[in-house]
Amino acid sequence: MGGPDPAVRALRALVAASPALDPGIETVVCIPCFRRPKSLRRTLQSLAVQRTGRRFAVVMVENDASRSESVPVAAEYLASGKFSGLCVIEPRQGNCYAINAAFETALQMFPLATSFLMIDDDDIASPGWLERMVGTAEATGADIVGGPVFPEFDDERKRGLRRHPAFAPAYDASGPVPAIHGCGNCLIRRAVLDRLGMPAFDLRFNFLGGGDTDFFYRCERLGLRFHWEADAAISETVPQSRTRLKWLAMRGLQIGAIIYHVQRKATPTFWLRAKLTAKLLAALPLSLGYATHAAFTEREWTIAMHPVTVAIGSVLAAFGLEPQPYKASKIGS
C-alpha cells in the first residue's frame, strides 16, 4: 500500500499528543473535527468511559487551521491519560481531506493496528460500542462493520423525523448486510485500507460529501464482507437547524448528487453516461409515486418529499449543479 505523499504529510502539524504513544496498539478510533469543541468534549468523554479491556488510541484531525477550536479539548483529554492518541491539523479544508488525514496518521503512528473505527465529533458512543464493534469484526471475519447512529433532537417536537432517511439507521437487526453507506459509525479492517490504498476517500467528494458512500461502493464491488452490529450504538445530537425544511431538502439534493457521482465513476464512456442520465430522468416521475406512498404510510410530509428531492438532486448533478455542504463557507459555527 502506498503511503501519503511526504509533501502532503509535511503540511500537517502535530498539535497534541498523549505523554506516551504505544505503536503496538491494535485499535484506533478516528475523529475528524470541525468547529464543534463542545460536542467533541462529549464525544471524547464517551470514549473515556468505554467498557472494554482493549487498549485503543484516538486520532483527531482538526480541519479548521485558522480557528483550531478542537485542539484545546483534544489536548486536555490526551494530557489527562484517559486514553492515548494524538491530534493533527489538516490545513486543506474539506471532509475527505480530514478523513484521509485521520487514516494516514493512524496507519503511520500505529503500524500494528488492525481495526480503525470512526465516529463524528458530534456523536456519543454507547459504553459498549468499541468492544461490540471490534468483537463483531473478530467473531465474523467481516472486513467492515457498521452500526446505528440514533438521532437525539434538540427540539423534541421533531421526534417524528427519526424515521426520516436522513436520520434513520440503514438496518434494524445484526447480521451480514450487502453494504453500508456512511462512516459515522463504522469499523474498517487494515486489510481493506491496504487493498484500496491511500488516499482512501476520493477527493472529488470533498465538499459534496459521499466520499464514504463511494469508498464502501468500491469495497462492495471488490466482494468485501459487511456486517451490521445493531447493539454498537452511537447517538447524534441534531440541532434545530437540521430539522428545518431547507436543510432536509438540501440533504435530499445532496444524497441525489452523491448517488449520481458514485454511479458516474462506473460509466467511463459517453454512451454509458448518457444512459445513466436518461435513467435518472426516468426516476423523477417514479419518485412521485414513492412520495405519495410515503405520505400515506409515514404521515410526515418531510419524509414523503425525500424521494423527490433525491431524484431532483441526481438530475441536477448530471447537469453540473450540486450543493457543497462541506465547504467552510457553508458550515455554521
Side-chain angles (χ1 to χ4, degrees):
M1 177 191 68
D5 188 301
V8 169
R9 191 184 301 163
L11 289 172
R12 298 174 189 146
L14 175 63
V15 290
S18 52
L21 289 176
D22 182 356
I25 282 178
E26 297 183 352
T27 302
V28 182
V29 180
C30 298
I31 311 176
C33 306
F34 190 84
R35 297 183 182 174
R36 293 191 282 216
K38 292 181 180 179
S39 297
L40 176 62
R41 184 177 297 278
R42 294 192 292 269
T43 303
L44 296 181
Q45 183 57 33
S46 74
L47 296 179
V49 297
Q50 287 293 295
R51 293 198 295 259
T52 181
R54 302 177 191 272
R55 296 183 306 129
F56 67 93
V58 179
V59 171
M60 290 162 275
V61 176
E62 170 62 81
N63 198 215
D64 185 4
S66 61
R67 293 161 62 170
S68 298
E69 294 173 311
S70 305
V71 172
V73 179
E76 175 190 334
Y77 270 81
L78 293 171
S80 71
K82 293 179 179 178
F83 46 71
S84 65
L86 61 147
C87 178
V88 300
I89 292 178
E90 170 52 74
R92 299 167 302 172
Q93 199 270 313
N95 176 263
C96 291
Y97 276 129
I99 294 172
N100 287 338
F103 285 143
E104 290 167 6
T105 301
L107 289 165
Q108 176 192 357
M109 300 301 294
F110 302 99
L112 299 184
T114 56
S115 296
F116 301 86
L117 295 92
M118 286 203 66
I119 184 172
D120 289 332
D121 64 345
D122 59 347
D123 292 348
I124 299 173
S126 57
W129 171 68
L130 185 142
E131 182 61 35
R132 287 189 177 277
M133 292 290 279
V134 180
T136 295
E138 292 176 347
T140 65
D143 300 296
I144 297 162
V145 179
V149 179
F150 293 112
E152 299 293 338
F153 295 99
D154 282 351
D155 184 351
E156 282 299 306
R157 294 173 297 178
K158 301 293 186 177
R159 291 178 64 182
L161 290 176
R162 288 178 180 170
R163 301 187 308 277
H164 194 288
F167 304 115
Y171 306 100
D172 295 324
S174 298
V177 292
I180 65 171
H181 308 287
C183 67
N185 180 6
C186 72
L187 178 151
I188 302 171
R189 301 291 283 179
R190 187 186 196 99
V192 176
L193 298 175
D194 287 344
R195 187 167 179 183
L196 271 73
M198 291 289 124
F201 281 21
D202 190 332
L203 295 176
R204 283 176 284 187
F205 295 89
N206 195 45
F207 293 126
L208 170 64
D212 48 0
T213 303
D214 172 69
F215 177 82
F216 293 130
Y217 180 65
R218 285 183 280 139
C219 291
E220 181 184 0
R221 294 183 70 187
L222 289 172
L224 300 183
R225 290 179 295 167
F226 294 82
H227 198 95
W228 188 260
E229 177 48 68
D231 293 325
I234 281 175
S235 61
E236 174 188 30
T237 302
V238 181
Q240 291 188 32
S241 61
R242 292 190 180 185
T243 62
R244 294 171 184 156
L245 175 61
K246 179 180 178 181
W247 188 91
L248 292 169
M250 291 300 294
R251 178 61 175 161
L253 296 176
Q254 178 195 8
I255 292 172
I258 290 168
I259 291 171
Y260 166 74
H261 283 291
V262 169
Q263 294 184 7
R264 186 181 183 275
K265 286 182 65 177
T267 54
T269 69
F270 171 82
W271 292 112
L272 286 174
R273 290 174 182 171
K275 185 178 179 180
L276 172 61
T277 301
K279 183 181 77 171
L280 296 174
L281 286 168
L284 272 173
L286 291 175
S287 71
L288 294 174
Y290 296 139
T292 301
H293 179 264
F296 283 103
T297 57
E298 296 292 345
R299 300 186 184 279
E300 170 60 58
W301 71 280
T302 54
I303 296 177
M305 77 175 190
H306 184 73
V308 179
T309 57
V310 170
I312 292 173
S314 292
V315 172
L316 290 177
F319 292 96
L321 301 172
E322 60 193 36
Q324 292 190 324
Y326 290 102
K327 267 196 171 181
S329 60
K330 305 289 185 182
I331 303 175
S333 300

